[in-house]
Amino acid sequence: MLSFHTARQRARTGNKTPPRIGLAVAGGGPIGGMYELGALRALEEAVEGLDLSRLDCYVGVSSGAFLAAGLANRIGTEEMCRIFLTGDSDDVQFRPETFMRPALFEYMRRAASLPRLAADWWRELLFSPGELHWPDFLTRFGGLVPTGLFDNAEVERFLRDVFTRRGRTNDFRQLDSRLFVIAVDLDSGEAVRFGGEKWDDVPISQAIQASAALPGLYPPVEVRGRHFVDGALRRTMHASVVLERGIDLMLGVNPLVAFNSGVDADVAPTSPGRLAAGGLPAVLSQTFRTLLQSRMQIGLAKHQQQFPDIDQLIFEPNAQDGELFFTNAFSFANRQRIAEIAYRNVLADLRTRADTLGPVLAAHGLRVRGEVAGDTTRSIMDGLQPRPRKTETTARLHRALDDIDAIVGSRRTH
């Protein structure tokens, strides 16, 4: 599902300088990240002139921060597909279980306070039995519950390794493009832009760890004595971060939308078609998706008023896609299938909206490749060509040659 705002007046009309393009990638857990990967891969293959690893600015939230940071570090969508989908990358070895290790240290730290809490409780129970109630018990012993099930220190270690090899960087200040990773301060509710002023010295790997710290799944991440959690708690996509950078075109991907089951109002409440029949997980999933999408729609409407001269294209799943809704948002098992759905959804959007999109993309030196978008049988795997294996040295050389090609190409367009 594609929604977009056409610029009222483009600032660079008649200007021969390359257009400034920004990318905003929302969160959505592991499955959301795989949907975003499929969508981005489709865009890069089907839109001629678009190189997602050479944009002017990026903003990523939660799982979207993984992809935004990878692109800003010149890890293209093809290589990401090899890392996360096929597993045949000669660069990064991705193991889902690494991200799902129990937070044993957190469990032990919480359990260590049990004797003291129990002693205080029994003391008050003996001397003031009439003043204690069950809510007091829950409040007092609630501190024993871990803040996260899994250890996100492994997330940071994985990313730190990836961003410190083959010419990449773990330092926001050394990137060729601006990258912003959003997290929320747990104690104040304030959204912080890692990569922005006063926060650009934080390692990219730690910023992503903080942005992806979904409460209940991962514990808060401490940075400079402050505790940070998932950036989506404040806003869904934080698109304003790139819109404020004076760009000409914004591309956005949001993987979570409310599911429309298509059940008529007169169908019995207990019908299997009703989401309530799926129990608490289905109800919570729909609630979460509805809140995120509603908040994003409000934000997009506001952005169209605030930034009327910027073309804005947002790609989302189809509301009727039950396979996406009923897939566990924190499962890695179906990642290739989810990426495939996203890939075909975006190609379909580009194909069916070609007449409207054509002039918008053309204004920025882009065009839809009809042979790609028009191929209804095309798979995300079709564009993954065999490639020679690289060493650290050859990878750095290849990166340098890409830089030279980009410089030569930009000069030819002037």
Side-chain angles (χ1 to χ4, degrees):
M1 180 175 63
L2 169 62
S3 60
F4 65 92
H5 164 71
T6 303
R8 182 185 58 190
Q9 182 178 352
R10 297 186 177 93
R12 292 174 183 253
T13 301
N15 195 331
K16 292 184 179 181
T17 58
R20 291 173 54 82
I21 303 176
L23 175 67
V25 196
I31 288 298
M34 293 304 98
Y35 186 92
E36 290 164 335
L37 175 55
L40 293 172
R41 181 60 182 159
L43 282 174
E44 194 158 58
E45 281 198 296
V47 179
E48 183 177 338
L50 180 64
D51 184 349
L52 292 176
S53 63
R54 292 185 181 276
L55 302 184
D56 292 275
C57 51
Y58 305 81
V59 61
V61 184
S62 191
S63 59
F66 284 79
L67 301 177
L71 291 170
N73 246 307
R74 305 264 300 282
I75 303 176
T77 57
E78 180 177 355
E79 185 62 26
M80 287 190 192
C81 286
R82 297 182 185 282
I83 294 171
F84 294 111
L85 302 183
T86 63
D88 61 351
S89 170
D90 67 341
D91 181 7
V92 180
Q93 300 303 311
F94 171 67
R95 296 180 176 83
E97 61 272 15
T98 301
F99 290 61
M100 308 296 278
R101 293 181 180 177
L104 297 179
F105 179 77
E106 170 75 1
Y107 299 165
M108 292 186 291
R109 186 175 69 85
R110 295 283 172 174
S113 62
L114 176 60
R116 177 181 57 81
L117 290 174
D120 292 342
W121 174 264
W122 282 110
R123 187 180 303 109
E124 293 188 29
L125 188 63
L126 289 174
F127 293 102
S128 305
E131 298 180 6
L132 294 179
H133 305 282
W134 278 111
D136 299 318
F137 176 86
L138 295 176
T139 300
R140 182 164 305 188
F141 286 90
L144 295 174
V145 180
T147 54
L149 296 175
F150 304 109
D151 182 9
N152 51 5
E154 293 298 324
V155 174
E156 193 279 330
R157 280 192 283 269
F158 170 80
L159 293 170
R160 190 194 329 148
D161 174 65
V162 172
F163 293 151
T164 52
R165 293 187 290 105
R166 298 197 171 189
R168 297 184 285 261
T169 180
N170 200 28
D171 190 330
F172 285 99
R173 298 164 295 186
Q174 295 180 11
L175 291 170
D176 296 330
S177 304
R178 293 301 303 269
L179 168 67
F180 301 93
V181 173
I182 312 300
V184 171
D185 186 321
L186 181 63
D187 294 305
S188 69
E190 173 192 0
V192 169
R193 300 179 181 182
F194 291 107
E197 186 179 1
K198 299 180 180 179
W199 291 98
D200 58 356
D201 59 331
V202 175
I204 297 173
S205 57
Q206 189 177 31
I208 297 174
Q209 178 193 14
S211 180
L214 181 64
L217 190 68
Y218 292 119
V221 176
E222 184 175 351
V223 182
R224 297 181 185 171
R226 297 168 65 174
H227 292 89
F228 291 95
V229 293
D230 196 317
L233 268 65
R234 190 61 185 256
R235 293 179 188 172
T236 303
M237 197 163 61
H238 292 268
S240 61
V241 175
V242 294
L243 289 168
E244 293 168 357
R245 300 287 304 171
I247 60 175
D248 305 301
L249 170 65
M250 185 198 75
L251 303 174
V253 184
N254 170 43
L256 296 181
V257 299
F259 175 57
N260 184 349
S261 66
V263 177
D264 295 332
D266 57 354
V267 174
T270 56
S271 168
R274 294 283 191 181
L275 289 181
L280 182 61
V283 172
L284 290 179
S285 178
Q286 181 74 333
T287 302
F288 182 63
R289 289 166 178 268
T290 302
L291 288 173
L292 287 180
Q293 187 183 26
S294 174
R295 189 171 59 178
M296 197 184 81
Q297 290 173 341
I298 293 172
L300 291 178
K302 184 178 178 181
H303 295 156
Q304 292 172 10
Q305 298 296 321
Q306 289 181 318
F307 309 97
D309 298 331
I310 300 176
D311 288 310
Q312 304 170 37
L313 278 65
I314 311 298
F315 295 87
E316 297 179 307
N318 298 320
Q320 293 79 20
D321 200 328
E323 186 171 358
L324 285 177
F325 179 82
F326 290 104
T327 297
N328 182 354
F330 303 107
S331 169
F332 288 96
N334 297 319
R335 57 186 185 273
Q336 184 171 321
R337 174 59 183 158
I338 297 303
E340 186 72 56
I341 292 174
Y343 181 83
R344 295 190 175 184
N345 281 351
V346 170
L347 291 187
D349 286 334
L350 295 175
R351 182 170 59 250
T352 57
R353 307 287 290 276
D355 292 342
T356 309
L357 277 177
V360 176
L361 294 176
H364 305 288
L366 309 173
R367 78 170 186 89
V368 176
R369 291 188 175 99
E371 68 277 13
V372 176
D375 186 353
T376 58
T377 63
R378 188 176 178 85
S379 166
I380 193 173
M381 298 301 164
D382 291 340
L384 301 182
Q385 302 299 324
R387 58 185 302 179
R389 300 187 69 83
K390 298 178 183 176
T391 64
E392 179 74 17
T393 302
T394 57
R396 287 178 177 271
L397 177 60
H398 182 76
R399 186 184 182 95
L401 292 174
D402 279 348
D403 287 337
I404 294 173
D405 285 342
I407 293 172
V408 172
S410 65
R411 289 181 177 177
R412 285 176 179 170
T413 58
H414 284 70

